[in-house]
Amino acid sequence: EAGVAQSPRYKIIEKRQSVAFWCNPISGHATLYWYQQILGQGPKLLIQFQNNGVVDDSQLPKDRFSAERLKGVDSTLKIQPAKLEDSAVYLCASTTGQGAYNEQFFGPGTRLTVL
Amino acid sequence: DQQVKQNSPSLSVQEGRISILNCDYTNSMFDYFLWYKKYPAEGPTFLISISSIKDKNEDGRFTVFLNKSAKHLSLHIVPSQPGDSAVYFCAASDNQAGTALIFGKGTTLSVSS
């Protein structure tokens, strides 16, 4: 079974530029999460999708971050414009259903550096 | 305000000995707890979990203990192996509020041979 795929793996941009990350979850997984992991911290939820609907985006900085999952499968996360404090690893995770009793499977992440 | 705390940033253990990683939480509504292991340049991988109705869960060399009254859980690895060297994250969820995980900052475990 293929795991969660993410691209690119690494991205370096200058502040005020825009950037987009892509995630393809495990086939059949209805729930998709984007987490932000700043160096030295644990992952923090940005947004959660159930199929193509948003379940929780309370911690997403909506003035600069946006995310979509149009067909209920893969998802994109965009930052526009980027700030220095956005430097982090962006992790995508998926699971079969809504309950946390379903183990979340994580992708390898995209490491973003904002200069 | 951190709801899940891992107060030890690092732990060094000799091969064959026991590794004990600790985690404290503040939210009494958390009803499910998980441990994830992370190698460099990889995403976290699920290790073991425990529901709040249990006080112990075992899977091979890994055992998680939950003390609800103390709001404390621990992960025991016996015997420790060099391949266990990684960052270990404690995570918790309140399924009434949603299914997203709240993570601690992680503990880096180094197992020497």
Side-chain angles (χ1 to χ4, degrees):
Chain A
E1 180 183 70
V4 177
Q6 290 189 248
S7 68
R9 293 294 311 275
Y10 304 92
K11 189 76 176 177
I12 300 174
I13 62 172
E14 295 191 347
K15 60 183 178 183
R16 292 188 288 274
Q17 286 187 322
S18 62
V19 64
F21 313 128
W22 175 81
C23 171
N24 191 22
I26 292 172
S27 177
H29 280 195
T31 308
L32 184 149
Y33 308 82
W34 283 102
Y35 289 87
Q36 179 193 57
Q37 186 181 7
I38 292 172
L39 186 65
Q41 306 286 323
K44 186 187 82 170
L45 178 74
L46 289 175
I47 189 167
Q48 175 187 346
F49 292 94
Q50 176 74 11
N51 296 310
N52 61 349
V54 175
V55 173
D56 182 358
D57 64 357
S58 59
Q59 299 187 78
L60 187 74
K62 298 181 187 62
D63 57 334
R64 299 185 299 107
F65 286 65
S66 64
E68 60 183 14
R69 193 184 184 198
L70 291 177
K71 296 182 180 178
V73 180
D74 56 352
S75 174
T76 56
L77 176 69
K78 296 179 182 178
I79 308 175
Q80 182 180 11
K83 291 186 175 181
L84 296 176
E85 59 260 37
D86 298 332
S87 293
V89 176
Y90 290 84
L91 293 162
C92 179
S94 69
T95 189
T96 54
Q98 269 194 316
Y101 294 83
N102 290 316
E103 164 196 343
Q104 292 187 22
F105 294 83
F106 283 83
T110 296
R111 180 177 295 277
L112 173 68
T113 301
V114 182
L115 303 175
Chain B
D1 180 31
Q2 264 201 303
Q3 298 186 67
V4 178
K5 300 177 184 178
Q6 293 177 259
N7 292 320
S8 298
S10 62
L11 176 67
S12 294
V13 172
Q14 282 194 321
E15 182 179 8
R17 306 295 290 268
I18 184 171
S19 295
I20 301 176
L21 294 93
N22 293 304
C23 178
D24 297 294
Y25 62 95
T26 58
N27 188 342
S28 58
M29 297 301 294
F30 286 148
D31 55 4
Y32 196 61
F33 304 89
L34 307 89
W35 285 93
Y36 279 81
K37 180 168 74 172
K38 187 181 183 303
Y39 293 118
E42 294 183 11
T45 55
F46 171 76
L47 193 57
I48 193 169
S49 62
I50 188 166
S51 165
S52 61
I53 62 173
K54 296 185 176 180
D55 55 18
K56 178 183 174 181
N57 189 26
E58 201 169 347
D59 184 1
R61 295 187 297 115
F62 303 92
T63 303
V64 57
F65 295 92
L66 175 63
N67 183 334
K68 284 184 65 179
S69 60
K71 294 191 178 66
H72 177 83
L73 64 155
S74 60
L75 173 68
H76 292 212
I77 307 174
V78 181
S80 301
Q81 299 173 355
D84 296 330
S85 298
V87 179
Y88 289 79
F89 290 100
C90 173
S93 71
D94 167 8
N95 278 308
Q96 298 302 314
T99 62
L101 299 177
I102 309 297
F103 284 85
K105 290 186 177 182
T107 296
T108 300
L109 174 65
S110 299
V111 181
S112 58
S113 55

